[in-house]
């Protein structure tokens, strides 16, 4: 893992203008991914994980959405300043992506082979024959049983786990330096999830590529990632190395999330809870967005938005009163 | 072994096959053996967990027990009475004792009905309450699940996912059942809300003296909730054991693989170790002999030929494997 920054998201704001009002889906998010690093982006549904990914990719549906401010630096270039055509050529080559529903990114009426070959030809400018050979090699690499047969199949003929292997093969075929993976294993069974995560880790390390792995499962982060950013209601509340955050979560929300997962060592007794629910994105609470649910909120918390503070060599938290130890 | 009390629920030889129809004439070309010979017993006040991969038949077992599906064969006894032989009024009276809560509170509530009507519907249908009495009972039920009765004239879309699941639970409790079948009750919820619902379910179990059949694919949640756990694979129970025993020392190779695929939240324990190869086979065409032999690391020749029966392994444990795991392995 290098120390060089590959992707830097600074003070990103992405809003959706709807009939219900302005949804501040992303309201000041900072992130950075280093070369060769797997960064986990975690948070509950609706906190803005997917919109963050779409903003990076230049795929925010517009209307109703718009990136309203901030900078997205990728390999030193500001992605927000790129034309749609420039973004199209970056997507799929230097930045690849996989989503929760592989079916949504595959065309149901074309065979797997044709779709893979087309993608490889588009980005690598090679002949059909050599694209086919590369497609086969990639399917081998993702440990697909019987790759030849898979090339001739239609998407609906493959299981969810197999489709996700195809997606990984396609995503990595163009040697991207960054892979955005939005809940790639959420729809899969645990046994298949373990296969896919292990595979992703292996292939990524081999290529020294970086990953932004979006998930709502802390276990997936603990097992797969080097670093993690925790999001809450459109903001990034805490980030740092996986070791540091899991050992000593400094944000009350992060700590709450970790404690409300059933823990085998505390079988009896009540589970810890975080009271209430996530706020309405049209009218988020002022100050710290977590304050209505936070056990230690003060008047300051409800008025002043906390700035990032460093609580460890590799650990930053946005809270007026970070947890200790 | 301590003597078990009389079971509240007993399932014997439960089978549920779905026809596969094809072509213009919709001829039956085969059968999906969703549940293929399941035996289970649930005891008063206990939570029996049911786990397994997607499509293994968990929901189908639940729906058969709730008598929402006609079963292909088998018997279901509730408090000793054979539900399969009851009919008419007696069946209806018996069925009130078994209620089901579904995963997706969104789709299990009618969006055009107020909460009052949804939660009160079972009472109205059974002619147990109407008018003021019905309203009071609904208010009680809502209070019981931690909702404000003043909101009973609202519609489902005005509630959050967690609140809708509370409404689903209130409706299932309307007829004062003894057994609740909980089919992935928190799978659609965020973790912070999941813990609220799990606490509520544990509370209700104590207060109302309920028994649960808790279906989930989240093994951590099942472990927390259940006293005993049954593991299903392709329509069959492969292992049944007290929860802690199952987690500490699985006897069936499939249980072992399933447990080792759980991503631990401790980054110091990085070991999604004994991972299974391949996907779960189709229940329309299950492998011969032991259904797990195509993915089992311990399979031997006889595994493909002979089907292992679920056998007593002592200490309240049961396993269906020719070569169960043990300490010596
Ligand atoms: N109404 C139906 N008609 C035909 N096949 C069905 C029907 N219901 C279920 N099946 C099939 O029966 C098998 C078992 O399904 P079931 O829904 O019980 O699985 P499950 O264990 O609850 O899975 P999940 O974890 O995905 O909820 C599957 O192969 C499924 O496709
Ligand atoms: N196309 C859209 N139109 C309007 N609102 C949207 C759209 N996409 C996302 N949002 C809103 O933006 C917020 C963040 O959503 P998302 O990033 O999808 O969350 P998640 O963290 O679950 O991936 C949510 O409030 C969501 O409702
Ligand atoms: S800033 Fe205040 S309300 Fe927000 S998390 Fe920290 S202590 Fe809680
Ligand atoms: S019977 Fe054989 S194939 Fe089946 S689980 Fe046991 S060892 Fe594996
Ligand atoms: Mg999302
Ligand atoms: Mg199910």
């Amino acid at each position: 893992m290098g120390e060089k920054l590959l992707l830097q998201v600074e003070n990103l704001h992405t809003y959706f203008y709807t009939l219900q009002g302005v949804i501040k889906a992303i309201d000041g998010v900072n992130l950075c991914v280093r070369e060769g690093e797997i960064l986990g982006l975690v948070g509950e549904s609706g906190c803005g994980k997917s919109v963050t990914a779409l903003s990076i990719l230049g795929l925010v549906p517009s209307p109703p959405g718009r990136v309203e401010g901030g900078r997205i630096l990728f390999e030193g270039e500001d992605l927000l300043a790129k034309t749609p055509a420039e973004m199209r050529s970056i997507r799929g080559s230097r930045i690849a992506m996989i989503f929760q529903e592989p079916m949504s990114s595959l065309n149901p009426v074309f065979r797997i082979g044709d779709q893979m070959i087309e993608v490889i030809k588009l980005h690598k400018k090679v002949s059909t024959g050599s694209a086919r050979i590369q497609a086969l090699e990639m399917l081998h690499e993702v440990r697909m049983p019987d790759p030849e047969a898979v090339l001739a199949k239609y998407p609906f003929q493959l299981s969810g786990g197999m489709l996700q292997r195809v997606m990984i093969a396609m995503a990595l075929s163009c040697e991207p330096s960054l892979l955005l993976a939005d809940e790639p294993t959420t729809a899969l069974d645990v046994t298949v999830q373990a296969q896919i995560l292990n595979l992703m880790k292996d292939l990524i390390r081999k290529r020294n590529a970086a990953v932004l792995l979006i998930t709502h499962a802390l276990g997936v982060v603990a097992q797969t990632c080097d670093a993690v950013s925790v999001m809450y209601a459109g903001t990034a509340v805490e980030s740092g190395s996986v070791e540091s955050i899991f050992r000593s979560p400094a944000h009350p929300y992060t700590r709450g999330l970790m404690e409300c997962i059933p823990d085998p060592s505390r079988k009896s007794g009540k589970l810890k809870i975080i009271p209430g629910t996530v706020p309405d994105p049209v009218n988020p609470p002022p100050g710290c967005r977590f304050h209505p649910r936070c056990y230690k909120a003060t008047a300051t918390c409800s008025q002043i938005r906390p700035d990032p503070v460093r609580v460890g060599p590799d650990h930053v938290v946005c809270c007026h009163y970070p947890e200790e130890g | 072994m301590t003597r078990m009390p009389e079971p509240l629920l007993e399932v014997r030889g439960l089978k549920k096959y779905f026809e596969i129809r094809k072509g213009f004439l919709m001829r039956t070309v085969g059968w999906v053996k969703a549940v293929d010979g399941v035996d289970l017993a649930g005891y008063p006040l206990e939570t029996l967990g049911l786990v397994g991969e997607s499509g293994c038949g968990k929901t189908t077992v639940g729906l058969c027990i709730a008598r929402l599906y006609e079963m292909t064969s088998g018997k279901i006894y509730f408090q000793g009475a054979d539900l399969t032989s009851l009919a008419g009024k007696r069946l209806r009276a018996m069925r009130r004792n078994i209620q089901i809560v579904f995963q997706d509170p969104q789709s299990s509530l009618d969006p055009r009905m107020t909460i009052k009507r949804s939660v009160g519907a079972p009472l109205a249908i059974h002619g147990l309450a109407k008018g003021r009495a019905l309203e009071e009972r609904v208010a009680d039920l809502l209070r019981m699940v931690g909702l404000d009765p003043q909101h009973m004239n609202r519609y489902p879309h005005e509630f959050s996912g967690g609140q809708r699941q509370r409404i689903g639970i209130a409706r299932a409790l309307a007829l004062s059942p003894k057994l609740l079948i909980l089919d992935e009750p928190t799978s659609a919820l965020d973790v912070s809300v999941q813990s609220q619902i799990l606490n509520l379910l544990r509370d209700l179990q104590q207060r109302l003296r309920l028994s649960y059949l808790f279906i989930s694919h989240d093994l951590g949640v099942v472990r927390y909730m259940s006293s005993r756990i049954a593991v299903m694979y392709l329509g069959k129970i492969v292992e049944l054991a007290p929860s802690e025993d199952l987690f500490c020392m699985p006897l069936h190779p499939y249980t072992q693989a399933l447990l080792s695929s759980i991503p631990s939240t401790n980054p110091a324990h990085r070991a999604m170790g004994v991972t299974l190869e391949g996907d779960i086979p189709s229940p329309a065409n299950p492998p011969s002999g032991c259904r797990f032999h195509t993915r089992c690391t311990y399979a031997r020749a006889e595994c493909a030929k002979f089907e292992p029966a679920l056998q007593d392994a002592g200490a309240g444990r049961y396993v269906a494997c020719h070569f169960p795991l043990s300490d010596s392995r």
Side-chain angles (χ1 to χ4, degrees):
Chain A
M1 206 188 318
E3 282 301 302
K4 245 181 93 193
L5 290 180
L6 180 69
L7 174 78
Q8 235 178 317
V9 174
E10 286 173 0
N11 204 20
L12 181 69
H13 291 74
T14 304
Y15 293 177
F16 292 94
Y17 297 86
T18 68
L19 292 176
Q20 289 77 44
V22 182
I23 295 179
K24 297 178 175 172
I26 306 292
D27 207 18
V29 160
N30 297 295
L31 283 181
C32 59
V33 185
R34 297 195 186 99
E35 278 181 356
E37 168 183 78
I38 305 184
L39 175 76
L41 188 58
V42 275
E44 299 178 277
S45 69
C47 70
K49 305 180 295 295
S50 297
V51 174
T52 301
L54 294 177
S55 305
I56 295 168
L57 292 165
L59 289 177
V60 173
S62 172
R66 257 182 69 178
V67 176
E68 288 294 358
R71 283 208 307 172
I72 301 177
L73 293 178
F74 173 67
E75 295 181 333
E77 301 165 40
D78 188 355
L79 296 185
L80 293 179
K82 300 269 175 214
T83 64
E86 288 170 329
M87 279 312 292
R88 252 196 310 279
S89 85
I90 290 178
R91 281 196 303 268
S93 59
R94 290 158 65 196
I95 305 180
M97 57 254 170
I98 42 181
F99 299 104
Q100 174 172 347
E101 289 299 333
M103 277 307 228
S104 66
S105 358
L106 287 167
N107 190 326
V109 300
F110 292 109
R111 295 176 196 275
I112 299 290
D114 296 339
Q115 301 193 51
M116 289 189 73
I117 289 166
E118 193 188 291
V119 166
I120 295 171
K121 277 171 68 180
L122 183 71
H123 290 287
K124 287 201 169 165
K125 317 267 182 288
V126 291
S127 71
T128 305
S130 84
R132 187 169 190 283
I133 293 171
Q134 288 181 31
L136 271 177
E137 278 169 3
M138 279 314 300
L139 288 179
H140 262 296
E141 251 201 290
V142 297
R143 295 171 216 148
M144 180 75 85
D146 204 353
E148 280 281 354
V150 168
L151 284 185
K153 290 209 161 127
Y154 292 95
F156 72 88
Q157 293 175 301
L158 298 182
S159 69
M162 302 253 255
L163 282 173
Q164 216 50 302
R165 278 173 208 264
V166 170
M167 293 313 299
I168 294 174
M170 272 165 98
L172 297 183
S173 62
C174 299
E175 312 283 336
S177 48
L178 176 66
L179 174 66
L180 297 189
D182 191 353
E183 311 254 9
T185 59
T186 302
L188 305 174
D189 278 310
V190 278
T191 58
V192 183
Q193 165 168 285
Q195 295 168 15
I196 298 290
L197 290 178
N198 283 336
L199 177 72
M200 247 175 58
K201 261 199 296 199
D202 281 4
L203 296 183
I204 287 298
R205 296 272 187 254
K206 239 198 274 176
R207 290 174 165 69
N208 197 33
V211 186
L212 181 66
L213 177 65
I214 296 178
T215 175
H216 63 272
L218 287 169
V220 167
V221 173
Q223 292 297 309
T224 318
C225 300
D226 305 304
V228 52
S229 277
V230 182
M231 284 188 72
Y232 183 76
T235 62
V237 296
E238 180 165 17
S239 56
S241 71
V242 161
E243 287 72 31
S244 176
I245 293 212
F246 279 80
R247 187 176 1 97
S248 42
H251 198 282
Y253 175 65
T254 313
R255 182 162 289 202
L257 269 188
M258 289 181 181
E259 287 178 347
C260 63
I261 300 173
D263 173 357
S265 61
R266 277 183 282 119
K267 178 161 172 98
S268 52
K270 290 212 162 188
L271 289 174
K272 287 259 177 64
I273 63 157
I274 301 175
T277 50
V278 291
D280 175 3
V282 177
N283 285 309
C288 169
R289 290 196 167 182
F290 188 56
H291 86 260
R293 302 175 76 188
C294 183
Y295 76 99
K296 56 158 112 162
T298 65
T300 310
C301 301
S302 57
Q303 286 155 17
I304 301 167
R305 186 155 162 180
D307 283 326
V309 277
R310 190 166 289 279
V311 289
D314 190 20
H315 193 161
V316 171
V317 64
C318 296
C319 172
H320 294 302
Y321 313 104
E323 309 270 346
E324 280 164 31
Chain B
M1 194 187 130
T2 50
R3 245 190 91 65
M4 286 291 214
E6 285 300 302
L8 181 72
L9 170 80
E10 230 187 315
V11 174
R12 281 199 212 140
L14 172 62
K15 289 189 183 175
K16 175 67 187 174
Y17 293 178
F18 295 101
E19 275 175 290
I20 308 170
R21 292 167 183 273
K22 275 233 174 81
F24 175 62
L25 293 173
M26 296 304 280
R27 261 193 249 277
T28 302
V29 295
W31 299 89
V32 175
K33 299 173 178 171
V35 178
D36 201 14
V38 157
D39 299 300
L40 275 180
Y43 294 90
L45 309 182
E46 87 161 342
T47 298
L48 174 64
L50 185 58
V51 297
E53 287 172 284
S54 175
C56 72
K58 305 179 295 294
T59 297
T60 307
V61 166
L63 291 172
C64 288
I65 294 172
R67 306 289 287 123
L68 293 170
Y69 269 161
E70 266 322 309
M71 14 190 229
T72 304
S73 66
K75 295 266 185 212
I76 291 171
Y77 299 89
F78 190 80
Q79 295 184 309
D82 179 358
L83 286 191
T84 31
S85 70
L86 293 181
K89 231 168 123 182
R90 289 196 49 210
L91 175 63
R92 247 181 321 192
M94 216 44 167
R95 261 171 68 171
R96 277 170 47 187
N97 286 315
I98 307 177
Q99 296 295 322
I100 188 159
V101 175
F102 296 100
Q103 165 175 352
D104 187 3
Q106 181 90 49
S107 61
S108 60
L109 292 170
D110 187 332
R112 293 154 307 175
M113 279 212 241
T114 61
I115 296 321
K116 183 165 85 183
R117 273 188 66 198
S118 276
V119 174
L123 293 162
I125 291 165
H126 281 82
L128 294 174
K130 57 181 182 198
R132 270 299 293 279
L134 181 72
E135 203 169 307
E136 270 168 29
R137 175 78 178 129
V138 170
D140 277 347
L141 287 163
L142 291 179
R143 246 177 257 126
M144 219 185 279
V145 297
L147 290 174
D148 185 346
Q150 292 190 357
H151 296 164
M152 69 165 81
N153 290 315
R154 296 193 180 173
Y155 291 87
H157 74 264
E158 297 175 72
F159 294 87
S160 70
Q163 287 172 324
R164 282 196 291 258
Q165 195 54 291
R166 288 175 194 266
I167 296 164
I169 294 168
R171 187 181 52 182
L173 294 175
L175 298 172
S176 311
K178 295 196 171 67
L179 172 69
L180 271 196
I181 297 170
L182 301 156
D183 189 1
E184 311 258 10
T186 60
S187 300
L189 306 176
D190 279 320
V191 277
S192 76
V193 179
Q194 162 172 288
S195 61
Q196 297 171 8
I197 298 292
L198 294 178
N199 280 343
L200 171 70
L201 287 169
R202 278 196 145 190
D203 242 36
L204 290 170
Q205 179 164 41
Q206 295 281 315
R207 266 203 286 163
L208 305 175
R209 307 188 60 72
L210 296 167
S211 304
Y212 290 156
L213 177 65
F214 193 95
I215 300 175
S216 179
H217 64 267
D218 185 327
L219 290 127
V221 169
V222 172
R223 178 181 194 172
Y224 175 73
M225 292 296 288
S226 315
S227 35
R228 294 185 307 140
I229 296 175
V231 182
M232 260 185 106
Y233 188 75
L234 275 180
K236 287 193 175 285
I237 306 283
V238 296
E239 180 162 10
L240 181 93
S243 304
E244 287 316 300
D245 298 350
L246 187 93
F247 275 83
C248 297
M249 205 187 84
L251 296 180
H252 197 284
Y254 176 63
T255 312
Q256 183 190 49
L258 203 56
L259 297 181
S260 72
S261 326
I262 305 173
S264 152
T265 48
N266 183 350
H269 293 165
R270 285 211 169 169
M272 288 184 295
V274 193
T275 54
L276 287 181
E277 288 301 315
D279 297 311
I280 191 166
S282 159
N285 188 15
S288 63
C290 171
R291 291 175 184 209
F292 186 55
H293 85 257
T294 52
R295 299 168 85 194
C296 180
T297 22
Y298 308 106
R300 300 186 210 169
E302 48 266 65
C303 297
K305 292 194 199 108
F306 310 105
E307 178 154 13
L310 190 65
Q311 280 179 334
D312 196 334
R317 308 191 59 155
Y318 297 83
V319 61
C321 171
H322 296 306
F323 310 104
L325 306 171
S326 61
D327 292 327
S328 59
R329 239 220 194 109

